[in-house]
């Protein structure tokens, strides 16, 4: 067994899992608290990456770019909530689907107008472009930075949700919306803040991944589906559930793609294993989702006990 | 004699125009419009199948394009092995889409609301990514279909008008079947379960089984739309079942007016005409499309074109609602 490959695949899985967590945490909070389905959440991921790429090109600093991206997406998120989304909470889910699908079209075409069809690339600074050697393992430095930033963001969100007053209101809103309103909390403002925080987290994920994949139009629409799966597996409204489910799915997806053909070769002939493995590894995550749904239809850590209509 | 409402008159006129379209179009020599109409009717079959679960059952599926894909691959994969028998293609399309609907529906229907939407979406993406990863069948690039399905001497789909009439016949047959279905006991149970599931269960109906049956019928019907689409375009690719395609189907249904029997026809036609018009007018037509969709939901209210027609019935001089 090749230990170097295994370690690097585990790190890839961790990286994918943390990115998924940044996307899914916001989605899950928005689902759980507002009972709102946001298909256009991936657009915030794209906007974060594109704004970050532009700022990085202007200033040459990745740090400033990341800050600018997060702030910009926070503002865009709050604006979208104020203009469109807040009018939809009382409507049914079909309307949510239609309007947020419309928002995707709008975001994608506006982004194409501003940044052009090719999108934008970010060059990594010298310091981050290198590799770090630990013993005889060699790890790209930027991957470690993504993992560190993801863990930091997860810890920050954990602190915000469990230790701050805002977090208390968010948790209260997720478990009983009516009671929170009755206690005199300005629920409209709470919704707007939660929506904007969720957007900012997605934007942060976008700028983190942009130096590796380039920022391009429609990048959010690909990853957002897996983020939905994370939310379903983790349980709607639960940040903790989103964290564990994101890591689980990140590892399963990455390891499935690199090791499934070896596993299948134990049962099948070499040739059929090599044909079946790519298709099966593309399905693994969804099979996991179906399995969780059969055993626990509310997800592993459901928090939205009272708000389900 | 019962008075005929204006909306029924409009729908009857549409059917007559659809029946008369191929000779008129071939007379004027604008073959492009026959293609556009065929495409519209194929999509109308898919939207009609969606209407059965969304409009009648309240099951909002965001993964219905998967069945179009299954139907199209049921033509493309046999054709890849040089099997062109149309009965095999159609049988495969029906069997595979019904089987996929049964398997995924059994899981999806354990949940409701948001979960249902997301799970149907996830399953359709599963199929999408699976086909993207199978190199044998063209992966991302898809497959060309060199010959359309062959039905012996009975029907030659290579002839544009024959394909058009086959699609139209299938659509009208499905609409008639749906009309009978939703006015039968089965349809009443589905409606009832949409509005109050616990009450239907208290009345002794196993609503899960009824809803699952409804979901499977809808899936198989949409598979037929895929069978026609594969034949029509001579080409299949995973892109046919991308989730944005599913969202477009819902968009078409809502333009027509979800729940109304004829809404799929008018909604699909309106959607495609809008697409033709806007894409000819501006490069950034997706922006217009998106803004229009948002405005439609936020300001126009539910009912779509069907709702507008119903208001026509209630104007002075109209016969009013039954």
């Amino acid at each position: 067994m090749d230990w170097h490959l295994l370690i690097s695949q585990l790190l890839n899985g961790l990286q994918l899992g943390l990115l998924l967590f940044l996307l899914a945490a916001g989605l899950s909070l928005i689902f759980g608290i507002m009972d709102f389905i946001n298909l256009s959440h991936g657009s915030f991921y794209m906007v974060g990456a594109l704004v970050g790429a532009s700022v990085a090109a202007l200033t040459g600093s990745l740090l400033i770019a990341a800050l600018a991206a997060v702030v910009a997406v926070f503002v865009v998120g709050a604006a979208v909530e104020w203009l469109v989304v807040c009018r939809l909470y009382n409507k049914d889910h079909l309307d949510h689907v239609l309007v947020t699908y419309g928002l995707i079209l709008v975001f994608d075409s506006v982004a194409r107008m501003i940044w052009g069809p090719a999108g934008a690339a970010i060059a990594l600074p010298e310091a981050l472009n290198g590799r770090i050697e630990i013993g005889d393992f060699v790890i790209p430095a930027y991957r470690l930075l993504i993992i560190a930033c993801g863990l930091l963001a997860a810890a920050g969100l954990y602190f915000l949700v469990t230790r701050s007053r805002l977090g208390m209101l968010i948790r209260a809103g997720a478990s009983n919306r009516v009671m929170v309103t009755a206690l005199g909390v300005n629920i409209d403002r709470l919704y707007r803040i939660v929506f904007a925080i969720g957007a900012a987290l997605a934007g942060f994920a976008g700028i983190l991944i942009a130096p590796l994949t380039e920022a391009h139009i429609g990048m959010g629409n690909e990853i957002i589906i897996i983020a939905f799966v994370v939310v379903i597996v983790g349980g709607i409204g639960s940040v903790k559930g989103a964290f564990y489910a994101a890591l689980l799915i990140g590892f399963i997806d990455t390891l499935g793609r690199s090791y499934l053909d070896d596993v299948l070769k134990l049962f099948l002939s070499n040739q059929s294993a090599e044909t079946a493995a790519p298709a099966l590894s593309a399905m693994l995550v969804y099979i996991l989702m179906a399995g969780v749904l059969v055993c626990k239809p509310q997800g592993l850590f459901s928090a939205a006990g009272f708000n389900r209509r | 004699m019962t008075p005929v409402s204006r909306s029924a008159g409009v729908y009857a006129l549409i059917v007559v125009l659809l029946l008369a379209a191929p000779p008129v179009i071939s007379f004027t020599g604008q073959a492009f419009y026959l293609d556009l109409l065929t495409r519209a009717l194929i999509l109308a079959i898919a939207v009609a199948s969606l209407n059965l679960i969304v409009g009648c059952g309240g099951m909002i599926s965001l993964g219905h394009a998967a069945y179009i894909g299954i139907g199209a691959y049921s033509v493309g994969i046999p054709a890849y092995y040089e099997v062109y028998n149309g009965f095999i293609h159609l049988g495969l399309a029906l069997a595979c889409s019904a089987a996929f609907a049964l398997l995924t529906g059994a899981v999806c229907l354990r949940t409701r609301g948001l979960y249902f939407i997301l799970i149907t979406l996830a399953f359709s993406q599963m199929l999408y990514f699976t086909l993207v990863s199978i190199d044998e069948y063209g992966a991302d690039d898809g497959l060309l279909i060199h010959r359309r399905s062959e039905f012996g001497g009975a029907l030659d789909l290579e002839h544009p008008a024959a394909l058009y009439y086959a699609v139209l016949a299938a659509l009208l047959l499905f609409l008639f079947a749906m009309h009978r279905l939703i006015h039968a006991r089965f349809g009443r149970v589905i409606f009832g379960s949409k509005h109050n599931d616990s009450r239907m269960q208290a009345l002794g109906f196993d609503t899960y089984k009824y809803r699952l049956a409804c979901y499977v019928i809808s899936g198989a019907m949409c598979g037929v739309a895929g069978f026609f689409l594969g034949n029509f375009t001579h080409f299949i690719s995973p892109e046919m079942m991308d989730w944005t395609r599913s969202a477009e189907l819902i968009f078409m249904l809502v333009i027509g007016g979800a729940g109304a029997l004829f809404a799929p026809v008018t909604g699909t036609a309106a959607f495609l005409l809008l697409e033709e018009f806007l894409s000819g007018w501006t490069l950034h037509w997706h922006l217009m499309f998106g803004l229009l969709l948002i405005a439609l939901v936020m300001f126009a209210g539910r009912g779509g074109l069907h709702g507008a027609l119903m208001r026509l019935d209630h104007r002075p001089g109209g016969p009013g609602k039954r």
Side-chain angles (χ1 to χ4, degrees), chain A residues 13 16-18 20-22 24 230 241-251:
Chain A
L16 176 64
L18 287 169
L20 285 173
F21 168 70
L22 290 178
V230 169
F243 184 73
Y244 290 124
L247 290 187
L248 184 66
I249 285 174
F251 283 129

Side-chain angles (χ1 to χ4, degrees), chain A residues 71-307:
Chain A
V71 172
V73 177
F74 186 89
V75 172
V76 171
V80 166
E81 205 274 352
W82 178 58
L83 283 171
V84 181
V85 172
C86 71
R87 284 157 230 268
L88 292 168
Y89 295 139
N90 297 328
K91 300 198 172 189
D92 68 33
H93 294 140
L94 186 55
D95 291 330
H96 301 177
V97 168
L98 289 166
V99 169
T100 52
Y101 174 63
L103 280 174
I104 291 180
L105 295 181
V106 171
F107 270 116
D108 281 359
S109 17
V110 171
R112 192 171 286 122
M113 284 177 187
I114 299 177
W115 282 279
I122 301 182
L124 271 181
E126 278 301 308
L128 294 173
N129 214 355
R131 291 160 181 282
I132 292 177
E133 288 179 30
I134 303 169
D136 47 343
F137 294 120
V138 182
I139 302 160
Y142 190 68
R143 282 194 191 274
L144 279 187
L145 184 74
I146 292 185
I147 291 169
C149 286
L151 286 173
L152 214 62
L157 194 65
Y158 175 80
F159 183 79
L160 179 81
V161 171
T162 58
R163 296 279 183 276
S164 72
R165 183 170 175 78
L166 177 65
M168 200 166 67
L169 292 176
I170 290 176
R171 276 179 294 139
S175 59
N176 196 329
R177 174 176 29 208
V178 182
M179 187 60 88
V180 174
T181 327
L183 290 173
V185 173
N186 182 346
I187 202 84
D188 294 338
R189 207 180 61 191
L190 181 67
Y191 283 1
R192 196 152 301 150
I193 291 173
V194 169
F195 196 89
I197 289 177
L201 284 171
F204 185 53
I207 177 68
L208 275 184
I209 197 68
L212 296 181
T213 63
E214 299 195 353
H216 56 275
I217 314 290
M219 64 190 280
N221 303 343
E222 295 150 22
I223 196 168
I224 197 66
I225 308 289
I226 308 280
F228 283 137
V229 174
V230 169
V231 172
I232 295 170
V233 170
I236 284 180
S238 164
V239 174
K240 188 170 83 175
F243 184 73
Y244 290 124
L247 290 187
L248 184 66
I249 285 174
F251 283 129
I252 287 185
D253 195 56
T254 322
L255 296 181
R257 278 173 211 284
S258 40
Y259 288 109
L260 197 65
D261 54 344
D262 293 334
V263 177
L264 285 182
K265 275 176 194 161
L266 299 177
F267 311 101
L268 299 168
S269 71
N270 271 5
Q271 205 213 332
S272 42
E274 268 162 26
T275 332
L280 196 60
S281 62
M283 293 168 77
L284 268 185
V285 166
Y286 303 97
I287 295 171
L288 171 79
M289 177 193 76
V292 167
L293 283 169
V294 169
C295 307
K296 291 191 79 169
Q298 302 304 323
L300 297 176
F301 301 86
S302 179
F306 298 92
N307 282 342

Side-chain angles (χ1 to χ4, degrees), chain B residues 144-196:
Chain B
L144 281 175
I145 301 173
H146 295 291
R147 270 149 64 188
R148 285 181 175 161
S149 305
E150 288 165 356
F151 288 91
L155 178 67
D156 180 15
L157 292 183
E158 294 292 349
H159 195 282
L163 179 64
Y164 174 86
Y165 278 119
V167 173
L168 182 61
L171 174 66
L172 293 177
L173 182 75
F174 282 143
L175 289 182
F176 176 71
M178 265 177 69
H179 177 74
R180 296 305 300 258
L181 197 64
I182 56 182
H183 288 93
R185 195 171 89 133
F186 180 82
R188 298 287 108 194
V189 176
I190 298 292
F191 262 118
S193 144
K194 171 185 176 183
H195 293 294
N196 193 335

Side-chain angles (χ1 to χ4, degrees), chain A residues 37 91 95 109 283 294 298, chain B residues 110 114-115 130 287 302:
Chain A
I37 174 170
K91 300 198 172 189
D95 291 330
S109 17
M283 293 168 77
V294 169
Q298 302 304 323
Chain B
R110 291 165 60 90
L114 280 178
Y115 275 95
T130 307
L287 179 64
R302 202 49 74 63

